[in-house]
Amino acid sequence: MEKKLIVNLLPGFWGDWLEVNNHQAIFHQWEQLEASGCIENFRLAAREGQGFRTGWFFADSDAYKWLEAAARVWALTRDQQLEELMDAFIALLSRAQEPDGYLFTYNQLHFPGIRWRNLQIEHELYCHGHLMEAGVSHFLSTGQVTLLQVARRAADRVVADFRGRGPEFTPGHEEIEIALLRLHEVTTGDTQYLGMASQFIEQRGRIRHFARHMLQQNKAVRQRMRSVQDLKQAYQTSHPAEKVYQLPPGNRAKHSLLTPLQWMLSALKGEFNQQHLPVEHQLVPVGHAVRFAYLETAVAMHDRLSGDNQHLHVLEKAWQHMLQHRMYLTGGIGSQPGLEGFGRDDSLDSEYAYAETCAALGSLFWNWEMMQLTGQARYSDLFEWQLHNAALVGMGRDGCSYLYNNPLASREGITRRAWYSVPCCPSNLSRTLAGLGKYIYSSKPGVLTIHQYISSEWTGSELPAEQSACPGLQIRMLSELPWQGRVRLELAGLPALESEAPSFTLQLRQPAWAEGLTISVNGTQVTRGDFRTQQAASVPSSGFDPTRASFVPIQRSWADGDIVEVAFDMPIQVRHAPPRVRSCRGKVALTRGPLVYCLESLDNPGVDIFSTRLDPHSLQFHADPDLLGGVTLITAQSRTGLPLTFIPYHLWGNRGESQMTVWVRE
């Protein structure tokens, strides 16, 4: 059974973002799902209304991700309105689900009786996977089994229909694997879900004549889409007064003339959906970045739950290759807009960067699993960096506007939107933010590790003995990051008598961005210095190297009321990409602490932010409580004496259309 640490986030940087997520974003997303017809699709499947199904064939998944986010938010807020929305939607799903567990409105409404067709393209298993994940999270958040029962019926249907079948019956968009493994964790003693996930993973990359297989499925998908369009036109003709929802435009991204060819070659070779090689030979990140990250997450989860670590070497190789050659300074992944995925090594043009929000989230999930497998600080460190930059940029300060793709330079003025033609990112980000508490601490006998410096309260009182660092231990963490480098930990729940003080190790992460740290216990300094690992011989293409991070252990007897204070050295850092990244030659980027900074045209009137040259000796930072809700800015001058203002990258695009760049001429 999956055990959850009891973590409450406190006011502060991330606590404030959770307030936005919990009280604005989650309700805005529901309104958009209703307005777009996504929720109505389930009513139609339950035969409770009249209308025509709207949205992509994978639209169901957007509702499931919202439901998972809502369950996690409810666990934090106990909001009655949200509870009523959840309960009503869960009841609707129960009515829409077929008696044998199948639930996929695209087929149920447009192609009754037809199932499991075009698995590489139509996301049937992907949608069932997100339904299962919602069921698991709802159960863990509420203790109720109403949605878990729906999820298990769907999972049992998948197992019955796919167990023992060949590689042609693997999904094109990975997600079902993660879902089955999470379901396995909460249904101890039932190994069928673990076995099904293992089959999907091991059968991957083994379809013979894949190009022909893909062409056949693509032809069938187009035929089915034309059929749906004919049905839609016929419905509109017979119901002229009924307004049919029109999907909003797709996200804007800069494409090259080679984009269509690149997509076709990647798809036919199987790289686009990681079907080009068996998992044990996939050492290089390729194809669609979200699918890749979800696959790696599932493989790492499988190794952890099965206990065999058979894929660990492959996972580490792929992670290292991504870090060295296929990741942006922000931690964003995916340099090819047409693929929504990876390009060639070191091909990291800032304007073409796709860096989808969902890809960053998938990488967060992967890093957490890798940390659990290896215990290495590098994975927690990249998690922190991507969370602050590549992920958080996806949501506007109001919680009601979003970015889908996240370039590192924009000349044409990308703007945040309330919703998208493919709205996968908003609810994916919301479910991740609402579940942020699970990534802050980890515990095992004799060792408590702090992975993320986020203001929070933690208690391990409900942990079983085999997972507890110290019975009864409670921690209150107050963090001034990312603006200032001070963190305070208050320990409670321990014996007050010195003779009864338990001994355990507190592990504190020194981030790769921190040039040194000082740790004090009860006002007495216990350690000071730079405990990072040595600089790697080869600098990553991004200019950021999380492999330098380390855990600093403080082993001692602890007493109730002990206070641990950590101070990080966090000056402004001028980052350079290695010469092999041609698009960044002669340019620098600024970071401070875990934040990447950028120039936005709104803050720099009269400055051509793409041609101005930075004077690196003029850098200063200061807090501005009135700008963007209160931020620490970096100010500087150009070589010609013009003032320059840099803001945190995750906040760009919150004030209307503008230009932006992370990399600045040196």
Side-chain angles (χ1 to χ4, degrees):
M1 174 97 174
E2 180 179 313
K3 296 292 183 181
K4 60 176 180 177
L5 304 181
I6 307 303
V7 180
N8 295 313
L9 268 64
L10 300 174
F13 181 83
W14 286 108
D16 294 347
W17 273 104
L18 250 68
E19 284 295 299
V20 172
N21 189 55
N22 297 349
H23 300 292
Q24 279 82 47
I26 197 69
F27 293 105
H28 168 80
Q29 291 166 18
W30 176 261
E31 292 169 359
Q32 294 296 317
L33 289 166
E34 279 280 29
S36 65
C38 182
I39 305 302
E40 186 65 21
N41 292 340
F42 293 98
R43 298 189 184 105
L44 297 176
R47 298 174 178 83
E48 296 176 2
Q50 180 177 307
F52 192 84
R53 185 193 182 278
T54 60
W56 287 91
F57 37 71
F58 48 78
D60 295 1
S61 65
D62 301 317
Y64 300 148
K65 278 182 284 188
W66 176 88
L67 185 51
E68 182 176 7
R72 292 178 176 181
V73 167
W74 182 87
L76 302 173
T77 66
R78 297 297 197 267
D79 187 281
Q80 184 176 353
Q81 180 186 358
L82 189 60
E83 184 176 14
E84 291 172 356
L85 286 175
M86 283 196 305
D87 289 348
F89 186 38
I90 292 168
L92 173 59
L93 293 179
S94 297
R95 298 193 300 272
Q97 189 175 37
E98 298 288 344
D100 65 357
Y102 184 81
L103 181 53
F104 185 58
T105 64
Y106 184 69
N107 277 346
Q108 286 172 276
L109 293 171
H110 294 322
F111 307 100
I114 296 177
R115 298 180 179 182
W116 313 127
R117 300 291 177 88
N118 309 311
L119 293 175
Q120 298 306 308
I121 301 175
E122 289 187 351
H123 295 21
E124 214 168 339
L125 285 166
Y126 171 84
C127 287
H128 280 80
H130 275 302
L131 172 60
M132 295 174 205
E133 285 216 73
V136 170
S137 290
H138 183 265
F139 169 67
L140 293 175
S141 296
T142 68
Q144 300 174 11
V145 297
T146 50
L147 185 57
L148 186 64
Q149 290 173 338
V150 174
R152 291 200 67 174
R153 286 197 295 269
D156 291 345
R157 179 76 272 138
V158 169
V159 172
D161 289 350
F162 286 87
R163 184 163 48 191
R165 306 192 78 171
E168 293 82 4
F169 296 92
T170 52
H173 194 315
E174 302 89 331
E175 151 61 27
I176 185 71
E177 301 89 344
I178 297 174
L180 288 165
L181 291 167
R182 289 193 66 203
L183 202 53
H184 168 73
E185 286 189 277
V186 299
T187 55
T188 53
D190 189 344
T191 61
Q192 64 171 338
Y193 304 137
L194 176 64
M196 192 70 253
S198 178
Q199 178 183 309
F200 281 138
I201 291 170
E202 296 305 326
Q203 292 277 35
R204 193 156 211 89
R206 302 179 190 276
I207 299 175
R208 298 184 61 188
H209 309 299
F210 183 81
R212 183 174 65 188
H213 183 78
M214 195 68 175
L215 287 171
Q216 290 171 342
Q217 291 210 0
N218 189 60
K219 180 180 178 181
V221 168
R222 290 182 179 275
Q223 290 174 340
R224 279 158 61 91
M225 291 179 73
R226 283 195 295 268
S227 175
V228 171
Q229 189 61 31
D230 291 342
L231 291 171
K232 181 178 180 180
Q233 290 177 352
Y235 183 84
Q236 290 175 317
T237 300
S238 60
H239 299 78
E242 186 171 326
K243 184 179 179 180
V244 178
Y245 178 83
Q246 297 295 321
L247 288 173
N251 56 296
R252 189 175 185 178
K254 187 173 181 179
H255 292 257
S256 75
L257 295 175
L258 295 176
T259 291
L261 179 61
Q262 291 168 338
W263 180 88
M264 183 181 298
L265 290 175
S266 179
L268 292 179
K269 290 165 64 178
E271 292 181 346
F272 179 71
N273 42 18
Q274 296 77 48
Q275 291 280 21
H276 60 301
L277 290 169
V279 167
E280 61 266 27
H281 299 301
Q282 293 194 28
L283 304 177
V284 177
V286 296
H288 192 272
V290 181
R291 302 177 198 216
F292 166 80
Y294 283 9
L295 174 62
E296 301 302 283
T297 301
V299 174
M301 286 180 71
H302 181 272
D303 274 21
R304 172 172 61 85
L305 294 173
S306 63
D308 57 17
N309 286 2
Q310 62 174 317
H311 301 104
L312 181 57
H313 174 70
V314 174
L315 290 164
E316 290 178 325
K317 285 283 189 181
W319 186 90
Q320 191 67 32
H321 195 104
M322 179 185 75
L323 172 69
Q324 282 291 328
H325 301 290
R326 301 192 174 189
M327 190 182 80
Y328 288 95
L329 175 60
T330 58
I333 54 175
S335 61
Q336 291 287 350
L339 300 177
E340 296 186 328
F342 297 100
R344 300 187 308 275
D345 281 358
D346 311 314
S347 178
L348 296 168
D349 187 282
S350 295
E351 286 190 75
Y352 285 95
Y354 201 72
E356 183 184 338
T357 303
C358 281
L361 301 176
S363 190
L364 296 184
F365 308 152
W366 181 23
N367 275 296
W368 179 246
E369 289 297 331
M370 292 298 289
M371 190 292 304
Q372 292 185 89
L373 276 179
T374 68
Q376 294 185 20
R378 63 182 61 187
Y379 301 113
S380 299
D381 207 68
L382 183 54
F383 183 105
E384 175 190 54
W385 194 264
Q386 291 179 317
L387 178 66
H388 281 85
N389 301 295
L392 187 56
V393 67
M395 181 183 289
R397 291 183 60 242
D398 59 2
C400 304
S401 56
Y402 303 90
L403 290 174
Y404 186 105
N405 56 309
N406 299 289
L408 279 70
S410 174
R411 296 177 185 269
E412 300 174 352
I414 294 173
T415 58
R416 296 178 182 271
R417 293 180 180 169
W419 211 238
Y420 286 96
S421 174
V422 180
C424 57
C425 297
S427 52
N428 203 6
L429 183 52
S430 280
R431 70 172 181 147
T432 304
L433 292 178
L436 196 55
K438 70 177 283 188
Y439 303 110
I440 300 175
Y441 308 89
S442 69
S443 176
K444 63 181 181 181
V447 180
L448 179 71
T449 302
I450 310 295
H451 297 279
Q452 306 302 328
Y453 296 104
I454 295 175
S455 293
S456 55
E457 293 176 326
W458 171 85
T459 175
S461 59
E462 295 188 10
L463 288 176
E466 65 271 15
Q467 295 183 23
S468 177
C470 177
L473 175 63
Q474 300 171 28
I475 287 186
R476 177 182 172 89
M477 175 159 51
L478 302 174
S479 172
E480 296 182 32
L481 288 170
W483 309 124
Q484 301 298 328
R486 294 184 291 269
V487 178
R488 176 186 173 97
L489 299 167
E490 302 170 357
L491 278 63
L494 300 174
L497 296 176
E498 184 176 345
S499 60
E500 300 176 3
S503 177
F504 63 90
T505 299
L506 181 65
Q507 286 199 133
L508 302 167
R509 177 174 56 87
Q510 178 176 351
W513 51 258
E515 296 188 353
L517 86 168
T518 302
I519 302 174
S520 301
V521 178
N522 299 328
T524 301
Q525 181 178 309
V526 296
T527 187
R528 175 178 175 81
D530 187 349
F531 299 91
R532 293 176 298 178
T533 61
Q534 287 188 332
Q535 182 77 46
S538 176
V539 178
S541 293
S542 67
F544 171 69
D545 186 3
T547 65
R548 299 203 66 197
S550 66
F551 285 124
V552 180
I554 307 297
Q555 200 284 326
R556 58 179 284 143
S557 295
W558 301 90
D560 196 70
D562 279 350
I563 295 175
V564 180
E565 294 173 297
V566 188
F568 298 106
D569 298 334
M570 48 184 294
I572 299 169
Q573 295 183 323
V574 180
R575 305 247 178 208
H576 296 80
R580 64 180 183 269
V581 185
R582 291 184 296 174
S583 61
C584 294
R585 289 176 184 170
K587 298 179 182 179
V588 296
L590 303 182
T591 67
R592 182 174 179 269
L595 297 180
V596 175
Y597 280 73
C598 68
L599 286 176
E600 191 170 9
S601 57
L602 291 172
D603 301 305
N604 298 277
V607 176
D608 183 346
I609 62 175
F610 300 105
S611 64
T612 191
R613 294 184 179 274
L614 175 70
D615 177 1
H617 303 293
S618 65
L619 300 175
Q620 296 181 344
F621 64 88
H622 69 273
D624 187 333
D626 300 319
L627 182 65
L628 294 165
V631 299
T632 295
L633 302 174
I634 295 177
T635 57
Q637 289 185 343
S638 71
R639 291 289 188 179
T640 59
L642 292 173
L644 301 175
T645 299
F646 293 78
I647 66 168
Y649 169 77
H650 74 266
L651 288 171
W652 91 275
N654 272 283
R655 296 165 290 175
E657 186 169 327
S658 64
Q659 295 182 322
M660 178 275 298
T661 185
V662 167
W663 292 95
V664 184
R665 292 189 180 277
E666 192 173 17

